[in-house]
Amino acid sequence: MLLTNFLMLSSILFCIGVYGVLARRNAVMVLMSIELILNAVNINLVAFGTIHGSISGHVFALFIIAVAAAEVGVGLAMVLLIYRNRSSIDLDDVDLLKG
Amino acid sequence: MIAAGLSNLGVLAQIAEFTPLDTPEVQWAALLPLLILAGGGVVLLTVSSLVKAMAAPGVNAAATVLVGLASIIACVPVWQRVQDPERGPFTAVGGVIGIDGFSILATGLIAASVILAALLLDDYLRREDIDGVEMYALLLLSASGGVIMASANDLIVMFLGLEALSIAIYVMAAMHRRRIESQEAGFKYFIVGAFSSAFFLYGIAMVYGATGSTNLVEIATFLANNLLLRNGVLMLGMALLLVGFGFKVSAVPFQGWTPDVYQGAPTPVTAFMASAVKVAAFAGLIRVFYLALGTYSLDWKPAIYALAVLSMIIGATFAVVQTDVKRMMAYSSISHAGFVLVAVQAGTEKGVTAAIFYLTSYVFMVAGSFGVISLVGRRGDAAHSLDDYRGLSRSRPGLALAFTVFLLAQAGVPLTSGFVAKFNVIAAAVDARSFWLALIAMLASVIAAVLYLKIIVAMYLTGDDAEADDSVAGPKVSIPLPAAAAIGIAIVATLAIGVLPGYLFEVAGDAVPVLIALP
């Protein structure tokens, strides 16, 4: 098994995710991009865990899946709250705080 | 078929018989401060949804304060055990939680900021017609996350603590349902926080890949015993970890969210964010970089050097041009983060002691400052411009005097905690031969002093011939007892540390983190 292949895949996913967070203006798309980064991390952890023959990488990936679910739950609730007040989830409209 | 099933069962029974599950030793007594905070949050939430009497004003806040106090008291025996030279620091839960002076002091500080925030919240929530216990429960749960982060001895646990700390704070920041700025702040904090956690995780994955372990002790041992010929993965991991921590402690260039979030969030929540979150994030940073990656300090020191310089200068400069006091305090908190980074950059025991000292004094200074700001903000939490402070010395001389003490402490005037804290940081930097950094730190504190004087001037001097003018009578601020108590505690701590710094210095010296391997 070639570790490099997995690292390449995960770094490509990571870059797509970072691009999505920085460039996308739709809040839900940004949340999805963050999920993409987290899954890139999961690929890394599982690949390293297999190479090292240690269980902690796999366990960590499970933890990340659980925490990401909790996080996205809170995130979507906030998107909903913003949508109710503004009828828009465009991040450019979220601009009351400046100075 | 049945026979095969039976023989399978037999094998299973054999396995169950011969390999008992190896459960780690938990050390419940040492985890008590943490368990009180987490359990207190859950119990508070349950009890107040069932018992009607808990809805009476002030009961939830009082319960939260009691939980915080209990946690601090529970810290005392653990501290004594750790400082006992015969017993010393130890690990809990199979080596993933490190109990040393550092984690216990951080626990105490986080519990203290819970108490201060709860005292401020009591009046705030009533003033803004937000009822319910959620805020207090989230406060306690978030604090327990911070404690986990500060005492983590394993990167997995540190990540879990970070998330428990952050997710609760996202909700708290957005808790003011009728104030659209509050939701905006919560949402911005959420996006930036989740983004930075993702960087942090990628960094952990890289460090794990390079060293083969997520345990801080094993990482440190591996790096001390092995010379990595191609350490690109480790370097990338360290850089990404630093980015993740940089976002959490709001160091420049990762500070973009801080002013918006501090301004938009309910002010007592801002007080908690500025105190507890900073303590937890810096505790994590010191544990990972000073302890686990200590052998590679030549590689991370320049990066922290750059972050420190940028944070101090940019934080102080941007603060001066603001007109909103909450935003000013946000930028000044960025500048303070720069000072702590100066101490961390030294990478010595003296530097870490100075960082601990700085964080301890900073908790009380900043919680007190935001306490005053919360009161002056009045109903609607909107009166935060510099004009709203004009004439405060006339309408509320006590409050103006308290704010003056906090601002002078932040500026680093002698006889306040800020002076000793800044002095220690600069001494540590000089000790580590970072002379330019020490000079920049002094320059930055001069720039920041302009900002604090600007607020003090606004409070005390109201312009030309103000005495005869009724329009500058100053804001009519009401001062409820709990908030006054919080501000009082913060003032006493700030002045006490400033006048008698020796005691805290000793404690900070005892609280330098150590690597604790499993016995």
Side-chain angles (χ1 to χ4, degrees):
Chain A
M1 190 182 76
L2 274 174
L3 179 64
T4 328
N5 296 354
F6 292 99
L7 292 188
M8 284 299 282
L9 172 65
S10 92
S11 59
I12 291 170
L13 276 181
F14 179 78
C15 292
I16 296 175
V18 171
Y19 172 79
V21 173
L22 298 177
R24 283 304 190 128
R25 293 294 85 193
N26 184 312
V28 176
M29 291 304 266
V30 170
L31 287 187
M32 285 170 66
S33 306
I34 291 174
E35 291 298 302
L36 216 51
I37 307 181
L38 293 179
N39 283 322
V41 175
N42 283 342
I43 293 177
N44 265 344
L45 284 171
V46 173
F48 281 133
T50 313
I51 290 285
H52 290 309
S54 78
I55 194 84
S56 40
H58 307 282
V59 173
F60 205 159
L62 284 176
F63 270 118
I64 292 179
I65 293 170
V67 170
E71 202 168 46
V72 93
V74 170
L76 285 175
M78 277 190 197
V79 172
L80 201 63
L81 199 64
I82 298 250
Y83 181 74
R84 277 202 193 133
N85 282 316
R86 299 269 182 89
S87 355
S88 153
I89 51 169
D90 193 324
L91 288 183
D92 287 333
D93 292 344
V94 185
D95 57 354
L96 280 176
L97 299 165
K98 280 187 209 154
Chain B
M1 199 60 189
I2 294 169
L6 278 180
S7 77
N8 269 349
L9 273 181
V11 170
L12 281 180
Q14 258 184 337
I15 293 174
E17 208 175 309
F18 288 118
T19 51
L21 204 58
D22 191 19
T23 47
E25 199 189 342
V26 174
Q27 302 272 13
W28 296 103
L31 293 182
L32 203 57
L34 164 67
L35 295 174
I36 289 176
L37 285 176
V42 175
V43 170
L44 184 63
L45 192 61
T46 320
V47 170
S48 23
S49 11
L50 297 177
V51 182
K52 273 220 173 101
M54 292 290 281
V59 177
N60 287 326
T64 313
V65 171
L66 283 181
V67 172
L69 273 179
S71 177
I72 292 181
I73 293 169
C75 282
V76 175
V78 191
W79 173 269
Q80 278 164 349
R81 176 174 169 189
V82 165
Q83 297 306 334
D84 186 350
E86 280 171 24
R87 305 171 85 177
F90 55 99
T91 58
V93 210
V96 299
I97 294 270
I99 308 285
D100 50 9
F102 188 63
S103 64
I104 301 167
L105 186 64
T107 307
L109 283 179
I110 291 170
S113 35
V114 165
I115 294 174
L116 295 176
L119 288 171
L120 295 173
L121 267 174
D122 175 50
D123 157 67
Y124 181 89
L125 294 185
R126 232 171 301 152
R127 193 174 0 136
E128 305 290 332
D129 289 326
I130 308 173
D131 44 48
V133 68
E134 300 90 345
M135 199 74 129
Y136 298 105
L138 286 170
L139 189 68
L140 289 169
L141 291 176
S142 164
S144 69
V147 171
I148 295 175
M149 193 180 174
S151 35
N153 205 19
D154 189 291
L155 290 171
I156 301 183
V157 175
M158 186 169 287
F159 164 70
L160 290 178
L162 174 73
E163 288 299 308
L165 170 79
S166 306
I167 292 181
I169 299 242
Y170 304 147
V171 181
M172 281 162 71
M175 203 66 163
H176 199 315
R177 268 157 296 188
R178 282 179 309 284
R179 224 177 128 243
I180 203 145
E181 290 92 343
S182 165
Q183 292 155 21
E184 193 177 315
F187 188 60
K188 275 186 178 164
Y189 195 27
F190 170 76
I191 297 274
V192 175
F195 193 45
S196 70
S197 305
F199 272 90
F200 183 71
L201 277 175
Y202 209 91
I204 293 180
M206 288 296 155
V207 171
Y208 171 61
T211 61
S213 174
T214 53
N215 191 296
L216 297 187
V217 182
E218 282 169 27
I219 292 174
T221 327
F222 179 87
L223 293 178
N225 296 336
N226 297 278
L227 185 66
L228 298 177
L229 290 176
R230 298 161 71 184
N231 57 7
V233 173
L234 181 68
M235 289 297 130
L236 182 64
M238 269 164 54
L240 288 170
L241 276 178
L242 194 58
V243 171
F245 280 122
F247 271 113
K248 284 290 164 211
V249 303
S250 59
V252 180
F254 314 110
Q255 90 296 5
W257 58 275
T258 316
D260 289 357
V261 173
Y262 278 25
Q263 185 189 2
T267 316
V269 176
T270 314
F272 183 72
M273 260 192 251
S275 50
V277 176
K278 264 212 171 135
V279 170
F282 268 113
L285 180 100
I286 291 172
R287 261 186 197 283
V288 170
F289 281 89
Y290 173 73
L291 285 186
L293 301 171
T295 33
Y296 277 74
S297 62
L298 284 180
D299 293 299
W300 54 256
K301 267 185 185 178
I304 292 194
Y305 193 111
L307 289 184
V309 170
L310 286 173
S311 308
M312 285 188 299
I313 295 290
I314 293 184
T317 323
F318 276 54
V320 174
V321 297
Q322 300 297 322
T323 51
D324 184 293
V325 174
K326 251 173 130 179
R327 280 187 95 82
M328 283 183 182
M329 285 298 130
Y331 278 107
S332 108
S333 88
I334 296 171
S335 171
H336 285 295
F339 274 95
V340 184
L341 284 174
V342 170
V344 176
Q345 186 272 341
T348 54
E349 203 179 309
K350 195 172 173 188
V352 175
T353 311
I356 297 168
F357 192 102
Y358 203 105
L359 286 170
T360 309
S361 10
Y362 180 66
V363 162
F364 294 104
M365 288 192 267
V366 81
S369 302
F370 278 112
V372 176
I373 293 174
S374 167
L375 292 181
V376 177
R378 285 172 303 210
R379 196 178 155 77
D381 201 2
H384 293 306
S385 83
L386 206 48
D387 289 331
D388 292 312
Y389 286 79
R390 294 211 187 284
L392 187 67
S393 65
R394 209 154 310 144
S395 60
R396 283 291 178 186
L399 200 61
L401 186 68
F403 203 20
T404 309
V405 171
F406 293 131
L407 291 171
L408 290 179
Q410 294 202 43
V413 170
L415 292 183
T416 61
S417 59
F419 171 72
V420 195
K422 284 204 161 107
F423 180 81
N424 284 337
V425 163
I426 291 173
V430 169
D431 225 41
R433 313 211 136 262
S434 311
F435 299 115
W436 282 106
L437 194 58
L439 262 180
I440 294 169
M442 284 186 234
L443 180 71
S445 60
V446 172
I447 302 177
V450 174
L451 145 85
Y452 304 124
L453 284 179
K454 223 170 114 180
I455 304 176
I456 295 173
V457 166
M459 286 191 299
Y460 281 91
L461 307 173
T462 38
D464 39 3
D465 202 17
E467 300 290 332
D469 195 351
D470 283 343
S471 67
V472 281
K476 287 180 184 53
V477 178
S478 64
I479 307 178
L481 193 63
I487 295 172
I489 295 170
I491 282 226
V492 169
T494 304
L495 292 178
I497 296 173
V499 177
L500 302 163
Y503 184 66
L504 177 62
F505 200 66
E506 230 166 77
V507 170
D510 286 342
V512 171
V514 283
L515 278 175
I516 327 140
L518 265 174

